[in-house]
Amino acid sequence: MRAFIDGDGATGIAADRVSITAQDTSSIQAITGAASIAAAFGATGVAVSIGVGLAHNEIGNEVAAFIVNADNGVTTTGTDTDDGITVRAIEDATISSLTTAASLSVAIGGVGVAVSGAGAAAQNLITTTTNAYIADSVIDSAEDVTLEARDTATINATVAALSASVAGGGVGVGVSIGGAAARNVIGS
């Protein structure tokens, strides 16, 4: 996202006020899930169940507002307090992510072996640059000159894993493991 003045013509630019704003409001809302179930019955019952949920969400933008190469001048002539020159770049990107995995295994028999595993992982990245500037220009303002570059990017992430195993019989063995990981990066 870019908003700009590049050059100013033969006589420059004159106005009551000059306001340039570039704003990014990119948004990702992601729901990722996985579920698995396994069951075994008999003299020897063996059940294996694995559930994996993965998510990768990324926003990468350049947000820039600027005045460049205005060598004949950008002039404001207004008399109100907001009749100045404003150059504003705003980054408001948002990632909201829910990543889940669930696994259940059941084994029943003379020998019952149940193994269950669940894993959930999410990687959420917002990599933007946010710049507001005036370069190689002549500026003459009746009121304030304001340069603002603001980055209020946010990441909201929930990652969960649930695993259960049930084994029954003369000999019953139940094994269950679950893991969840999240990597959230905002780098401007």
Side-chain angles (χ1 to χ4, degrees), residues 113-151:
V113 178
V115 178
S116 176
Q123 176 171 279
N124 301 297
L125 307 170
I126 298 177
T127 55
T128 62
T129 58
T130 307
N131 294 300
Y133 59 92
I134 298 171
D136 302 321
S137 299
V138 175
I139 302 297
D140 182 9
S141 183
E143 295 294 332
D144 294 342
V145 174
T146 304
L147 293 175
E148 177 186 2
R150 181 174 23 138
D151 187 341

Side-chain angles (χ1 to χ4, degrees), residues 22-103:
Q23 183 172 9
D24 174 34
T25 59
S26 298
S27 177
I28 295 175
Q29 296 180 350
I31 298 174
T32 306
S36 67
I37 298 175
F41 303 95
T44 301
V46 177
V48 177
S49 175
I50 298 173
V52 177
L54 303 172
H56 175 86
N57 304 298
E58 184 171 359
I59 297 173
N61 293 315
E62 174 191 353
V63 181
F66 54 90
I67 298 173
V68 295
N69 303 317
D71 52 358
N72 289 317
V74 175
T75 303
T76 60
T77 57
T79 57
D80 291 339
T81 57
D82 62 348
D83 283 346
I85 297 173
T86 302
V87 179
R88 181 177 288 132
I90 302 169
E91 172 58 70
D92 283 327
T94 301
I95 295 176
S96 297
S97 173
L98 171 63
T99 306
T100 61
S103 179

